[in-house]
């Protein structure tokens, strides 16, 4: 693995930015070797409460500074992200084990999210005049007030881009943020935060804490005004329950068992290339990556042959360059989960079409991209999210069977359709139960569309990040109405009786001219 451009002094400097007062530290390994890369301080519940208190004070001035100031700061941060891209790429790879190309997705996404929210926040949140219930007698406006302090809990797998997708719109809306970073992604997040601080974001306005879910995570959900979480459905449900008891809002992007439908009019070789990337980008450790492939029987043989050929000799590696197509699993826990799913499936009769082997000669958690067939409902890999280097292939006889199978899941995060027909693509897309649907692509089309909402249905979560919806979650709508004084509104029964006729005439007139 080539030497990173980052230095131990930089790592120490970054971890010093964590809000943590105690002496406890945890060793964080790098997937390239499995050895300790750096030590990370642990935040206590008191540290979290202190960070939220200081963020709350900083938020008052930040909100009052206005959209123009926030836009200037965020655009400077955007430029610093691009200037520091090599460092950010290195940190993402060192922490996650993904390839340079997949790390680049994160850096580009973080910049795009920052640019979008910097430029669009004032248009989306500037407030507006709405039609009053009593035209000319009352005027009504809607304005948006920042919620205050947003809590953001991000996972290790796409630490940089997922942080940006929650933190930046909160900042653009005038909120403060206290973020709990996963140990495996903290350096990337801290380096991103430093770019924003140097661009003009007050240090207390975006605080980063670490530590256990039981202590730091619980304390965060107990004290903030809004909570964003990306992670497992089980944890998301617990956070939603706690937020519900406190009557605060939450956006939750949770698990997925994402399907790809391959229809009978595709080019099998081209479709196989799309499937291989969609299943094994970041080694499948991506919330929107594909785990289930439903291929039409008419093209099943050539598609399967092309998929096996493409994955037969994968270019695996951890180099800080663009020489590898597939990286490593991120941790020993991820490696254990993948092998457990594979062993269970094989023991119950599944067949390995390609892959299925660890590659310890490359690194301790490297694993070949693996495609299974003959997967049945009694296997763990059938319905449970693997979140790793395994995909299952099923043969279907027609489009309807494919859609029904794709929808037969508790999850509904992302889905993909491969077809040459625009009409077919629309018909199938309309029938799929997922928060995002990609045609002739696996996930990058919707994932990169930062002006469009992203999120799941069913057990894949609630709320949306990105787009207008991603900004609006961080504000409360406030309605302000003013009586014009042109005519006194009724105050007594006699007043109501006198104005009943004019009010009814007004109501009927608005209906006749189709005015809401």
């Amino acid at each position: 693995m080539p030497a990173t451009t980052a230095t131990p002094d930089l790592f120490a400097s970054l971890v010093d930015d964590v809000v943590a007062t105690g002496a406890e530290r945890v060793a964080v390994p790098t997937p390239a070797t499995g050895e300790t890369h750096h030590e990370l301080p642990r935040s206590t519940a008191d540290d979290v409460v202190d960070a939220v208190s200081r963020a709350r004070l900083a938020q008052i001035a930040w909100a009052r500074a206005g959209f123009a100031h926030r836009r200037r700061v965020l655009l400077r941060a955007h430029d610093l992200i691009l200037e520091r891209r090599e460092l950010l790429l290195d940190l993402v790879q060192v922490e996650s084990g993904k390839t340079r190309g997949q790390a680049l997705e994160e850096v580009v996404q973080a910049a795009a999210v920052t640019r979008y929210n910097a430029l669009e926040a004032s248009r989306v949140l500037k407030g507006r005049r709405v039609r009053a219930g009593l035209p000319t007698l009352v005027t009504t406006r809607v304005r948006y007030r920042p919620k205050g302090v947003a809590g953001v809990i991000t996972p290790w797998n796409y630490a940089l881009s997922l942080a940006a997708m929650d933190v930046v719109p909160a900042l653009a809306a005038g909120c403060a943020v206290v973020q709990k970073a996963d140990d495996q992604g903290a350096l990337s997040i801290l380096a991103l935060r430093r770019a924003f601080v140097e661009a003009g974001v007050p240090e207390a306005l975006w605080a980063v804490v670490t530590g256990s879910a039981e202590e730091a995570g619980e304390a965060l959900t107990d004290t903030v005004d809004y909570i964003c979480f990306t992670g497992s459905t089980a944890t998301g449900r617990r956070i939603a329950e706690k937020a519900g008891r406190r009557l605060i809002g939450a956006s939750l992007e949770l698990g997925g068992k994402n399907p790809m439908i391959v229809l009978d009019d595709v080019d099998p070789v081209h479709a196989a290339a799309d499937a291989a990337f969609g299943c094994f980008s970041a080694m499948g450790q991506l919330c929107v990556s594909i785990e289930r492939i439903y291929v039409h029987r008419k093209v099943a043989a050539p598609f399967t042959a092309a998929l096996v050929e493409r994955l037969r000799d994968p270019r695996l590696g951890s180099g800080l360059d663009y020489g590898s197509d597939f990286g490593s699993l991120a941790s020993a826990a991820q490696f254990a989960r993948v092998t457990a799913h594979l062993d269970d499936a094989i023991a119950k009769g599944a067949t390995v079409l390609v892959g299925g082997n660890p590659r310890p000669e490359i690194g301790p958690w490297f694993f070949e991209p693996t495609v299974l067939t003959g997967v049945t409902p009694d296997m763990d890999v059938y319905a449970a999210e693997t979140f790793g280097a395994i995909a299952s292939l099923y043969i279907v006889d027609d489009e309807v069977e494919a859609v029904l199978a794709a929808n037969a899941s508790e999850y509904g995060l992302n889905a993909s359709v491969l077809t040459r027909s625009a009409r077919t693509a629309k018909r199938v897309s309309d029938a799929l139960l997922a928060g995002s649907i990609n045609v002739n692509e696996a996930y990058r089309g919707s994932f990169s569309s930062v002006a469009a909402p992203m999120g799941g249905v069913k057990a894949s979560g609630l709320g949306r990040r990105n787009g207008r919806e991603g900004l609006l979650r961080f504000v409360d709508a406030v309605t302000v109405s003013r009586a014009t004084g042109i005519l006194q509104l009724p105050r007594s029964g006699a007043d109501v009786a006198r104005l009943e006729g004019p009010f009814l005439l007004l109501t009927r007139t608005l209906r006749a001219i189709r005015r809401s």
Side-chain angles (χ1 to χ4, degrees):
M1 181 176 183
T4 174
T5 57
T7 64
D9 288 342
L10 175 63
F11 303 147
S13 172
L14 288 173
V15 300
D16 282 345
D17 289 345
V18 174
V19 179
T21 56
E24 182 183 359
R25 291 186 169 242
V26 61
V28 181
T30 175
T33 63
E35 298 174 353
T36 296
H37 181 265
H38 59 278
E39 292 189 336
L40 196 65
R42 307 291 277 177
S43 304
T44 65
D46 288 341
D47 291 327
V48 174
V49 172
D50 180 59
V52 172
S53 297
R54 288 187 284 115
R56 203 173 293 286
L57 290 175
Q59 187 268 333
I60 297 171
W62 179 251
R64 289 176 178 170
F67 288 114
H69 172 74
R70 296 197 290 270
R71 179 173 60 247
R72 286 193 295 271
V73 170
L74 295 180
L75 288 177
R76 283 199 293 269
H78 168 276
D79 295 344
L80 286 175
I81 290 171
L82 297 182
E83 287 177 18
R84 300 175 184 184
R85 64 188 179 279
E86 294 299 324
L87 169 63
L88 292 171
L89 288 169
D90 287 355
L91 291 176
V92 168
Q93 285 195 265
V94 164
E95 289 191 294
S96 70
K98 64 183 57 173
T99 67
R100 196 73 165 181
Q102 288 143 23
L104 183 62
E105 284 186 12
E106 291 212 56
V107 174
V108 171
Q109 185 84 345
V113 166
T114 303
R115 185 175 65 252
Y116 172 84
N117 286 285
L119 297 174
E120 293 297 322
S122 62
R123 299 174 193 169
V124 174
L125 304 177
K126 66 181 179 181
R128 67 194 189 280
R129 183 169 178 170
V130 299
R131 186 170 297 113
L134 299 170
T136 73
L137 305 186
V138 173
T139 63
T140 302
R141 290 190 60 82
V142 176
R143 66 177 177 86
Y144 296 101
R145 179 173 55 207
K147 286 184 180 291
V149 180
V152 174
I153 302 175
T154 43
W156 48 266
N157 62 316
Y158 269 67
L160 197 70
S161 54
L162 292 175
M165 284 191 276
D166 283 339
V167 172
V168 178
L171 297 177
C175 290
V177 173
V178 176
Q179 180 179 10
K180 181 190 171 301
D182 187 276
D183 294 347
Q184 200 71 35
L187 283 183
S188 300
I189 289 169
L190 290 164
L192 180 68
R193 173 187 175 273
R194 182 164 293 183
F196 278 75
V197 169
E198 292 182 16
V201 170
E203 289 198 34
L205 192 77
W206 178 1
V208 174
V209 297
T210 59
S212 69
E214 293 75 18
E215 184 170 7
E218 291 285 332
L220 188 64
T221 312
D222 282 338
T223 51
V224 294
D225 305 306
Y226 187 88
I227 189 74
C228 306
F229 172 76
T230 305
S232 73
T233 296
T235 302
R237 286 192 170 110
R238 292 196 294 272
I239 289 173
E241 290 170 2
K242 183 180 282 284
R245 288 194 296 271
R246 293 191 58 224
L247 298 179
I248 65 169
S251 60
L252 311 169
E253 185 180 300
L254 308 177
K257 191 72 175 176
N258 307 304
M260 171 180 281
I261 294 175
V262 183
L263 294 175
D264 60 351
D265 61 345
V266 299
D267 176 333
V269 174
H270 190 114
D274 288 336
F277 185 90
C279 294
F280 302 112
S281 179
M283 288 311 290
Q285 300 167 123
L286 171 61
C287 54
V288 290
S289 63
I290 301 300
E291 293 198 17
R292 298 180 287 151
I293 306 171
Y294 298 99
V295 56
H296 196 290
R297 190 175 299 277
K298 289 183 179 178
V299 293
F303 171 85
T304 302
L307 183 61
V308 168
E309 180 61 29
R310 190 166 188 89
L311 297 173
R312 191 188 306 278
D313 187 22
R315 290 198 298 174
L316 298 164
S318 58
L320 303 183
D321 53 37
Y322 292 97
S324 300
D325 293 332
F326 304 99
S328 172
L329 295 170
S331 65
Q334 283 297 106
F335 185 86
R337 182 176 179 86
V338 168
T339 54
H341 272 207
L342 179 62
D343 292 346
D344 174 77
I346 292 173
K348 294 174 180 175
T351 299
V352 176
L353 287 175
V354 66
N357 299 304
R359 298 293 296 273
E361 75 278 11
I362 304 174
W365 305 321
F366 276 86
F367 203 92
E368 292 174 349
T370 301
V371 180
L372 302 177
T373 189
V375 172
T376 55
D378 61 324
M379 301 174 186
D380 293 338
V381 77
Y382 180 83
E385 183 179 33
T386 302
F387 210 69
I390 301 177
S392 303
L393 187 148
Y394 307 86
I395 297 174
V396 294
D397 289 315
D398 55 39
E399 172 190 313
V400 173
E401 183 184 355
V403 169
L404 291 174
N407 288 341
S409 170
E410 67 170 325
Y411 298 111
L413 188 57
N414 179 46
S416 172
V417 185
L418 305 187
T419 176
R420 291 180 178 179
S421 167
R423 180 177 296 179
T424 301
K426 183 180 186 308
R427 183 173 62 247
V428 173
S429 297
D430 289 346
L432 287 170
L433 302 178
S436 62
I437 299 167
N438 288 268
V439 176
N440 295 328
E441 231 291 309
Y443 69 85
R444 287 178 294 184
S446 60
F447 191 73
S448 65
S449 298
V450 297
M454 175 184 176
V457 299
K458 300 191 284 186
S460 289
L462 341 142
R464 294 294 183 267
R465 54 161 56 109
N466 291 348
R468 292 174 54 87
E469 292 82 354
L471 279 161
L472 287 166
R473 61 189 163 145
F474 294 110
V475 294
D476 290 319
V478 179
T479 299
V480 180
S481 291
R482 180 180 66 88
T484 63
I486 294 174
L487 180 67
Q488 179 61 56
L489 296 177
R491 296 174 174 174
S492 66
D495 290 343
V496 173
R498 186 172 60 254
L499 293 174
E500 178 185 9
F503 282 167
L504 291 176
L505 176 62
L506 173 62
T507 300
R508 292 188 179 106
T509 301
L510 292 174
R511 166 65 176 86
I513 63 176
R514 297 179 181 273
R515 295 290 294 274
S516 60

